[in-house]
Amino acid sequence: MRNVMFVLAATALLTGSAFAQDNTGSQTDPSAATGSSNAAVNPKGNAGSSVNASGTVQIVAPSALEKGANSFTEGQARSRLEGAGLASVTGLHKDDQGIWRGKAMHNGKAVDVGFDYKGNIGAQ
């Protein structure tokens, strides 16, 4: 009976550690598992992100922004817009398509700005 208990305990310990690791024994990147294109989750940027291959932010036409459930907060949207070189961001609000919209200054000109759920930034 004691041997059976020992075998069960050893099996439980070995099985538990197998669930905590992938097949290489190392931790995995959670964004790789989800394939997320959300720049907040996957800052490396995937297709659809406003970060291009050189790592710089690309501002697109407002018509290129995609509607969808936007989980960015107002503060996160403002921070991303300012990080893209837009200054004096004001009037941010989320529209009925899930796109953050507002006004800002870009290269000395007043522009309308948008920020979609994928992290794309639009200015006109």
Side-chain angles (χ1 to χ4, degrees):
M1 182 66 155
R2 213 161 87 189
N3 287 340
V4 172
M5 294 297 278
F6 176 75
V7 170
L8 289 175
T11 302
L13 286 173
L14 292 173
T15 305
S17 65
F19 286 118
Q21 299 176 352
D22 64 10
N23 61 357
T24 63
S26 64
Q27 292 182 332
T28 59
D29 179 4
S31 64
T34 62
S36 177
S37 62
N38 184 335
V41 174
N42 186 6
K44 297 172 191 163
N46 286 341
S49 173
S50 60
V51 178
N52 63 24
S54 67
T56 59
V57 176
Q58 178 179 344
I59 297 176
V60 299
S63 60
L65 297 176
E66 295 185 40
K67 64 181 179 179
N70 194 323
S71 61
F72 288 101
T73 65
E74 179 180 348
Q76 290 169 326
R78 180 181 311 280
S79 177
R80 293 294 179 93
L81 293 167
E82 290 171 348
L86 299 160
S88 304
V89 178
T90 59
L92 273 181
H93 65 282
K94 197 183 313 182
D95 69 12
D96 60 348
Q97 295 180 336
I99 298 173
W100 283 100
R101 304 235 183 234
K103 299 202 177 286
M105 297 296 291
H106 184 60
N107 295 331
K109 297 179 183 177
V111 294
D112 292 322
V113 295
F115 182 75
D116 71 11
Y117 78 100
K118 287 186 172 183
N120 295 315
I121 297 171
Q124 178 178 340

